[in-house]
Every structure is written in C-alpha cells, then in structure tokens.
Amino acid sequence: MIVGGDGYCGWATALHLSRLGYEVAIVDNMIRRHWDATHLLDSLIPIAPIERRIAAWQRATGKTIALYVVDVREYAPLAAAIEGFRPDTIVHFGQQRSAPFSMIDREHTVLTQVGNLTGTLNILYAMRDLAPHAHLVKLGTMGEYGTPNIDIEEGYIEIEHNGRKDVLPFPKQPGSFYHLSKVADSDNIAFACRIWNLRATDLNQGVVYGLSDETAGNPDLANRFDYDGLFGTVLNRFCVEAVVGHPLTVYGAGGQTRSFIDLRDTVACMELAIANPPAPGRLQVFNQFTEIFSVLELAERVQRVARGRGLACRIEHRENPRIEREAHYYHAKNTSLIGLGLQPHLLDDHTIDMMLDIALTYRNRISSSLIPPQVGWDARAFGASAKDEADVAHATP
Amino acid sequence: MIVGGDGYCGWATALHLSRLGYEVAIVDNMIRRHWDATHLLDSLIPIAPIERRIAAWQRATGKTIALYVVDVREYAPLAAAIEGFRPDTIVHFGQQRSAPFSMIDREHTVLTQVGNLTGTLNILYAMRDLAPHAHLVKLGTMGEYGTPNIDIEEGYIEIEHNGRKDVLPFPKQPGSFYHLSKVADSDNIAFACRIWNLRATDLNQGVVYGLSDETAGNPDLANRFDYDGLFGTVLNRFCVEAVVGHPLTVYGAGGQTRSFIDLRDTVACMELAIANPPAPGRLQVFNQFTEIFSVLELAERVQRVARGRGLACRIEHRENPRIEREAHYYHAKNTSLIGLGLQPHLLDDHTIDMMLDIALTYRNRISSSLIPPQVGWDARAFGASAKDEADVAHATP
C-alpha cells in the first residue's frame, strides 16, 4: 500500500513494485495536483489523471493497481482502505514535502505540520489496530539531520559522555518547518514501534532527481518533473535553466552541501527496504542517498554538460531565500542500503544529458517566472519574479 | 503574559509575578476545567472561576490581572491579545500536559499533538510579527529526555565523534505522545529563534508537587491539586492514598527515577528565567527540578511521614500502565537555575506533612475511584476501578 502513490516518488515506486510482482494499492488524496493549481504551477512533464495512469499500466503490463482516494488525515477512510487491502507493507510518501511551501506563512506551516503528523499518527494507530504485523516504510529526509560538524550516522549514534555510553537517536537540526515535521514523525514512529511492537523503516532520503524506467515511453505513465521555486529540486531547476538560457542560479555562496539520489535508485531502495524489515518493536533507519555535492558543484557539472551541447550557460549567485550555512562540514553515512545490494546510478554526464533532453523536449512548457524562489525564510518579501524574468535570454540554441 | 494562567503552574506563576510587581495578563481557554468535567474528575481543592480568582486577588492586594479568554490554537484572538497587552515576556503553559490523557486513544493523541504544536507555532508567528523583542518562556518537561544511560545535560551536549566535535541538541527519547509534543515544540522554537532572531527559554520541568504561597489562605485564590489517574502526579496521589487508607500504589517495580520540584520553586524559577533572557536568536534550555527520586523512594518517604501521624499505610505494587524502564540509570544536570540563585525547597518531612494536611482538609472530596490509572500505553483495557475501590479501607484515623 503506497500512501502518496500519485506523487513523484510514489508513482515511480508503485510502478516499480507492480512490475516486480507486488500487489500494489495506491492511497492518495490528490492534494498535490490541487496545490499545483492553486499556486499556478505545473509539472514540466504533463501527467495523466490517476485513473488514466492506472488504466495505462494495466494495458501495458496486464497488472492491476488498486486505488483508494483517501486523505490519511481522516482516520475512518484510511482504516477502511487498510481493512480492504490488508497490506503487508505500508509505504508512506503521503505528506506535504516542500520546505518553501511550509515557510510561506503561518497557515502553510500549520497545514504542513498538522497534516504530516496527523497522517502518520493515523497510520500508526491503524497499524496497531488493523495491521500489527505490517511493515511501515516511511519516507524521511536527510534534511532532518541538518549540517552538524560531525559525521552523520544512520538514525542512531553511540555517545560516550562522562565515562558512560549509550546508543541514542542522532541529534537533529532541521532547516524548515517541513523538515521539522519529519523529525516529529520519526520520533512518533520510534515511540509507537517501542510501545506497540510495530516495525518500521525510516528512509532519510536525499534530494531526488531524474526519472525512473517504468514511467518512460508512454505519456499516460509519465511522472512529474518539478522545477518551480516551490516544489522543484535543484538539479531539475538547473537543467531547465540551462535549456531556456536562464543563468544557473546558485542561492548564496553555493557551499551548501547535500546528499542526492537518482529516482531509479529511490525505487530500488524501496524494494530493498520492503524486503528487509526490522524485528517487531524496532524502527530501523537507513540514509537513502548515493552521492554528496555542493550546490555550486552541481551547477558546474550541469554547466559543463550543457556547454558541451552548445547551450550558452553561465552561473549566477543570487540572494539566498533560506537561512542556512553556506559553507560547512558535511559527511553522511549511507552504508546500509549499499550493504543490502543497492547499485547506485551516479550522476554522470549521461544522466545530466538525459535530464537536459527532458527539459528540451518540454521546452515550450517551461515558464521562467516559476523558476525564482517565492518564499524567504525570514519574512522578507521574496518573489521579484518579474525582474528575474527579464534576465532570461529567450534566444537559446 | 501567561498563557495557561488558569492552570496549576500558570495560576501560581501569575500571582507570584503579580505580587513581585509585574504587570500580568492571563491568556487561557479554560479547557482544563472542561476536561475535568468531561472526564468526571475534580481538583481535590475546590477552585473558583477565573473571574472570581482575579477579583479576589485585586481585593487582597490591590493588583489587577488582565484576562484574555483565548484559545491559542486560534491565531486572530491570540494576535489581538498580544497587540492589546504588548507583553515583554510570554510564559507559555497553555498546553495539554498529561501523558495518560495523550494515550487514551487516537483522538486524544491527535488532539494533544495538534493542539500543542499549533498553539506554540501561533505564538512564534505572533512574536515574529507583533512582539519580536519579547522573551518566550516555554514550559518543557524533563520527560523529553527519557532515561538515557548517560548524564542528561541542559538541552545541548558536546559530542565528539570520529575525531570531530559539535555542540548539538541533546538526543530525546520521550515516553508518551504528550512528551513527544513537547520535543517537537522545542525543535520548532529552536528553529524559529534561529531564523527570526527571537529569544526563548525552554524550561524542562520535573514532576511538580505541592502549593505555592500566594494561593494559600483565601478559598477564591486556591490552586488546583490533582490526584486522579489522568492529571494527578505521583506525590499528590500518594498523599491522598495515605489519607483515605488506600495502599500507596507503586506501578511496576518502582525503580522509575524522575526529577521533582516543589511548586514554590517553580514560581521562583519562572521569575529567574524571565529576568535572564538569552541573546536574540538563541533558545536557552534550563532543567527545572531540584531533586531526583525513584517512585518507590517517594512512596517510602510518604509512608514514613504518614505512619508518624498514625495513618496506617502500606505500599503495594500494581501493574504498570506505562511502558517504561523500571530500573535504569538516571542523572540529570540542574545547575543553571541554581546558578541564577534558586534556593530549593527540598522534599523534607515538613513538606510531606503539609501535603498530608491538604489531603486531610479535603478528605471528604476524595473519590477513591479516581485514583487508579485508566489508560494503558499498549491498548490493554485499564481502569478496573470498581475492583480497586474495594481495596480502600474507609476507616482511617
């Protein structure tokens, strides 16, 4: 059962697991499509309505995917879906997942935290009462850890202090109200596993980019591709900027260093996590990323590949809408999923080329006004998008 | 401005600060009185309605206390109260503060976490926009830390790991959905201070007992005294049990070790915290307790004092409704408030005597059926209260 199965990671995961022979159900409230509409955004790649997606998958493969249009913030319909489908595994992607969205204003902060926490609590109670042997695979984020000056472990750290030792939850310093909601989720899940003997895996995922295999080639199976200032992620944005002749915009110094993962590896990680549940009573934590880059390094890689294709491409530093360290130590472990057999797709020139191909294919759908950040972390007015749009050179190769 | 100023700690703090010459406003939604009513509970000491309390204080001292009947989960009336009163300090007690209440069922878990988080987020946003120089003094709990096998520091810990060092938030292992809400609050406040340059003090308070000076002697100023299975705290309960000839009920082995504080010290700590704000941008954390006891030690102390007064008093172990370690290491720091000048009222025989006096004074208001726990941590049915009531020997001195 894939909660949030209509989303970017969720849809890719649903198809990947279905192809592998899992019986898959999607639970989704379609809210992300609504937020796109109300914030005047759109995926670069057009996506079909969920029922058309599922029908196309059945036509292409003969495999069925069950659909529950359910908002997990409401317990009764969630419980009915779980009683109807009887999942062995519940994969939970069904959350507000954008840091800038959570920072828009008080209403969006409360919506993010209340919605995300309530959904997870409802799933935990439903597991306790209706599916106590199921395995919860919960999407966390590497952003929960922040950027400590020590190595980031996978969920737990052994601390020696005043001559005594304990293995404790790794201290978290998240950088947005969204990331804070994920930390609270992790704490709630750990507690529920302990008192109710549930089992769960928290996947602290890095920034995801690219597309998975199952969604290619059929427009009705296509996955979303976000490049906008609210839901877009940085590598997608750089590729779109390169294609429309917009400077690659690095916010601040660009030394912000983060962990990254290709969507093809995300779906492989889901497969590995599902196949390797922890013992009852335990929350296991895997860091789900394959490589670490600074934002400036990423921009330079895209610039090099784009220039190789004849795209004029310069890098520009802009004011950083976030409040974050722009130069810092960053080293995180990711040995668990590698140890279980993950074979990473690294970010080589070929992958960047494929992403530039996507941006070129849908070039006429790119709206440059969506590219700049709209939301500042400290209540400054952001979103001088008209001014920014003037920077765009519309004449590109 | 004291949010939750109608509650046990809040009312005591309001009067203490008013007596010291602070201009005090109470913000409260009166929900605790409603929960008493709906859960068929009552404070051992009868308490007057808030308007009568405030009028009595004015008659007794000539000092006025402003009242805003406001639910901090609603932003607009909270903002109006802050604009009306213009506080220099916001003391935030206004939360659902019972661990068993948060564990009743899914609805009470969601109510606790959503209510507590939303209230704190609203206060933070109101500070950012309306009172950026105010000092937030937030009640946390020692229960946020859980019972790690290392010494508990005050909010932060220096960790050396793989040859590098950082000062990080102390890892938290809270033991109920209520305590989890306080951890999420602490994380939200730390983040808000960092990005909005606010200043806040998180007071991780131990289990509170007893009564403060300002509420004594006038029935209209009286403070609540909870001994029931939902909101009561352990020392209050033992004193009530001793007085009605109920065994002192120790849940499980009794090795559960916690930190404690006399309400007279709570109000002194509030005064010290208010007078010592941190620099803008920082959340400072003080552990607010004076002594550490195991539950069994506490029972034995009450037993000894009660027997000295001729009360028959035996200790009985009962099934533990909570899932927690019943024997564990526990050592926590509390040097910050002591360093600022706190002079603790320790739990001596005199203090226990005063508490037994309270229980004797209101003996005819004690309902033995309220004493046993009603809520188990693992969905077992608790609350065999009829059976338990049969244990009570109604003939006592």
Side-chain angles (χ1 to χ4, degrees):
Chain A
M1 173 172 278
I2 301 181
V3 180
D6 187 47
Y8 172 60
C9 291
W11 178 240
T13 300
L15 296 195
H16 184 71
L17 295 176
S18 177
R19 183 172 66 75
L20 293 176
Y22 283 90
E23 191 181 340
V24 172
I26 285 174
V27 172
D28 205 295
N29 62 354
M30 309 296 146
I31 193 77
R32 177 57 206 285
R33 294 172 187 258
H34 177 65
W35 288 333
D36 280 4
T38 53
H39 290 276
L40 313 179
L41 308 173
D42 204 359
S43 164
L44 178 63
I45 304 177
I47 57 175
I50 185 68
E51 69 279 13
R52 188 131 52 91
R53 286 179 145 185
I54 290 174
W57 182 248
Q58 187 168 6
R59 276 197 309 277
T61 65
K63 294 176 189 295
T64 57
I65 292 176
L67 173 65
Y68 298 87
V69 180
V70 161
D71 188 326
V72 293
R73 295 172 296 187
E74 301 290 333
Y75 185 75
L78 169 65
I82 288 175
E83 287 189 292
F85 188 69
R86 305 192 146 277
D88 299 313
T89 304
I90 299 172
V91 179
H92 183 22
F93 292 105
Q95 305 204 295
Q96 196 300 94
R97 65 107 184 121
S98 155
F101 185 97
S102 77
M103 302 300 295
I104 292 174
D105 56 19
R106 191 192 62 82
E107 287 78 3
H108 288 80
T109 296
V110 171
L111 181 159
T112 299
Q113 292 208 348
V114 167
N116 287 0
L117 266 72
T118 302
T120 300
L121 288 171
N122 283 348
I123 289 171
L124 291 169
Y125 267 97
M127 286 176 67
R128 183 193 74 168
D129 292 341
L130 305 171
H133 305 298
H135 174 205
L136 174 63
V137 178
K138 168 65 164 55
L139 262 285
T141 159
M142 288 299 294
E144 293 185 32
Y145 298 115
T147 56
N149 195 39
I150 59 172
D151 293 347
I152 295 169
E153 300 295 322
E154 300 194 81
Y156 302 94
I157 181 171
E158 183 178 79
I159 297 179
E160 185 167 348
H161 181 52
N162 298 346
R164 302 182 61 87
K165 272 187 193 174
D166 202 355
V167 176
L168 294 170
F170 195 95
K172 307 279 180 78
Q173 297 178 296
S176 77
F177 285 120
Y178 153 70
H179 290 98
L180 282 152
S181 78
K182 292 291 210 176
V183 170
D185 268 345
S186 296
D187 291 345
N188 278 337
I189 295 167
F191 176 69
C193 287
R194 179 153 59 84
I195 64 165
W196 295 334
N197 220 31
L198 304 177
R199 48 193 189 159
T201 301
D202 207 356
L203 297 174
N204 287 331
Q205 189 168 242
V207 181
V208 192
Y209 59 83
L211 293 174
S212 62
D213 299 328
E214 290 85 357
T215 61
N218 180 338
D220 280 349
L221 296 180
N223 204 351
R224 61 165 56 248
F225 187 98
D226 300 316
Y227 66 97
D228 63 88
L230 210 50
F231 289 99
T233 57
V234 59
L235 189 59
N236 291 6
R237 176 166 58 81
F238 285 156
C239 291
V240 164
E241 288 176 330
V243 160
V244 296
H246 192 291
L248 307 195
T249 45
V250 169
Y251 304 144
Q256 303 95 310
T257 303
R258 298 290 184 270
S259 50
F260 290 83
I261 186 168
D262 188 304
L263 187 61
R264 292 172 292 184
D265 294 336
T266 292
V267 300
C269 287
M270 302 315 297
E271 179 187 343
L272 291 168
I274 291 166
N276 293 278
R282 230 183 88 75
L283 169 67
Q284 72 184 354
V285 184
F286 299 155
N287 292 345
Q288 182 165 312
F289 70 91
T290 59
E291 290 180 280
I292 290 173
F293 302 106
S294 75
V295 170
L296 188 56
E297 276 180 282
L298 270 190
E300 288 167 349
R301 279 175 176 244
V302 173
Q303 182 184 46
R304 188 168 43 75
V305 177
R307 283 183 170 167
R309 297 171 67 139
L311 292 161
C313 190
R314 69 181 194 280
I315 293 170
E316 279 191 14
H317 292 263
R318 299 283 171 91
E319 188 183 3
N320 191 349
R322 306 192 184 208
I323 296 174
E324 61 187 0
R325 291 180 183 139
E326 295 179 2
H328 57 87
Y329 180 74
Y330 193 82
H331 186 262
K333 294 269 177 66
N334 65 343
T335 46
S336 292
L337 285 161
I338 304 284
L340 291 174
L342 177 67
Q343 298 190 310
H345 295 80
L346 299 182
L347 182 63
D348 54 18
D349 290 0
H350 175 63
T351 298
I352 295 173
D353 255 326
M354 287 198 313
M355 292 180 65
L356 289 169
D357 285 341
I358 292 167
L360 280 165
T361 301
Y362 297 98
R363 194 177 178 293
N364 63 353
R365 289 176 53 88
I366 297 171
S367 169
S368 296
S369 66
L370 296 182
I371 292 175
Q374 307 286 326
V375 183
W377 259 228
D378 67 350
R380 278 171 300 167
F382 248 84
S385 49
K387 176 175 154 292
D388 191 273
E389 202 167 359
D391 291 344
V392 178
H394 283 282
T396 37
Chain B
M1 172 172 279
I2 303 182
V3 180
D6 187 48
Y8 173 59
C9 291
W11 178 239
T13 300
L15 296 196
H16 184 71
L17 295 176
S18 178
R19 184 172 65 74
L20 292 176
Y22 284 89
E23 190 181 341
V24 173
I26 285 174
V27 171
D28 206 296
N29 62 352
M30 309 296 145
I31 194 78
R32 176 56 205 286
R33 294 172 188 259
H34 176 65
W35 288 333
D36 281 4
T38 52
H39 291 276
L40 313 178
L41 308 173
D42 203 0
S43 165
L44 179 63
I45 304 177
I47 56 173
I50 185 68
E51 69 280 12
R52 188 130 54 89
R53 286 179 147 184
I54 289 173
W57 182 248
Q58 187 168 5
R59 277 198 308 277
T61 64
K63 294 176 188 296
T64 56
I65 292 175
L67 173 66
Y68 297 86
V69 180
V70 160
D71 188 326
V72 293
R73 296 172 295 188
E74 301 291 332
Y75 185 75
L78 168 66
I82 287 175
E83 287 189 292
F85 187 68
R86 304 193 147 277
D88 299 313
T89 304
I90 299 173
V91 180
H92 183 22
F93 292 105
Q95 305 204 295
Q96 195 300 96
R97 64 106 183 122
S98 156
F101 185 98
S102 77
M103 302 300 294
I104 292 174
D105 57 18
R106 190 191 63 81
E107 287 78 4
H108 288 79
T109 296
V110 171
L111 182 159
T112 299
Q113 293 208 348
V114 167
N116 287 359
L117 267 73
T118 303
T120 299
L121 288 171
N122 284 347
I123 289 171
L124 291 168
Y125 268 96
M127 287 177 65
R128 184 193 73 169
D129 291 341
L130 305 170
H133 305 298
H135 174 204
L136 174 64
V137 177
K138 168 65 165 52
L139 262 287
T141 160
M142 287 299 294
E144 292 183 33
Y145 298 115
T147 56
N149 196 39
I150 59 171
D151 294 348
I152 294 169
E153 300 295 321
E154 300 195 81
Y156 303 92
I157 181 171
E158 183 178 80
I159 298 178
E160 184 168 349
H161 182 53
N162 297 348
R164 302 182 61 88
K165 272 187 192 174
D166 201 355
V167 176
L168 295 170
F170 196 95
K172 306 279 181 79
Q173 297 178 299
S176 77
F177 284 121
Y178 153 70
H179 290 99
L180 283 152
S181 78
K182 292 291 211 176
V183 170
D185 268 345
S186 296
D187 291 345
N188 279 337
I189 296 167
F191 175 69
C193 287
R194 178 153 61 83
I195 63 165
W196 296 334
N197 220 30
L198 303 178
R199 47 193 189 157
T201 301
D202 206 356
L203 297 173
N204 287 330
Q205 188 168 242
V207 181
V208 193
Y209 59 83
L211 293 173
S212 62
D213 299 328
E214 290 85 359
T215 62
N218 180 339
D220 281 349
L221 297 180
N223 203 351
R224 62 164 57 246
F225 186 99
D226 300 316
Y227 65 97
D228 63 87
L230 209 51
F231 288 100
T233 57
V234 59
L235 189 60
N236 290 7
R237 176 166 60 81
F238 285 156
C239 292
V240 164
E241 288 177 328
V243 159
V244 296
H246 192 292
L248 308 193
T249 44
V250 169
Y251 303 144
Q256 302 96 311
T257 303
R258 299 289 184 273
S259 51
F260 290 84
I261 186 167
D262 188 305
L263 186 61
R264 292 172 293 184
D265 294 336
T266 293
V267 300
C269 288
M270 303 315 298
E271 179 188 343
L272 292 168
I274 290 166
N276 293 279
R282 229 183 88 73
L283 169 67
Q284 71 183 354
V285 184
F286 299 154
N287 291 345
Q288 182 165 311
F289 70 92
T290 58
E291 291 179 279
I292 290 172
F293 302 107
S294 74
V295 170
L296 187 57
E297 274 181 284
L298 269 190
E300 288 168 348
R301 280 175 175 244
V302 172
Q303 183 184 46
R304 188 167 44 73
V305 177
R307 282 183 170 168
R309 297 171 65 138
L311 292 161
C313 191
R314 69 181 193 282
I315 293 171
E316 279 190 14
H317 293 263
R318 299 282 171 91
E319 189 184 1
N320 191 349
R322 305 191 186 209
I323 295 173
E324 60 188 1
R325 290 179 184 141
E326 295 180 3
H328 56 88
Y329 180 75
Y330 193 81
H331 186 263
K333 293 271 176 67
N334 64 342
T335 46
S336 293
L337 285 160
I338 303 285
L340 292 174
L342 176 67
Q343 299 190 309
H345 294 82
L346 299 183
L347 182 62
D348 54 18
D349 291 359
H350 175 63
T351 298
I352 295 173
D353 255 327
M354 288 197 313
M355 292 181 64
L356 289 169
D357 285 343
I358 292 166
L360 279 165
T361 301
Y362 297 99
R363 192 177 179 291
N364 63 353
R365 289 174 54 86
I366 297 171
S367 170
S368 296
S369 67
L370 296 182
I371 293 175
Q374 307 286 326
V375 183
W377 259 226
D378 66 350
R380 278 171 301 165
F382 249 84
S385 49
K387 176 175 154 292
D388 191 89
E389 203 167 357
D391 290 343
V392 179
H394 282 281
T396 36

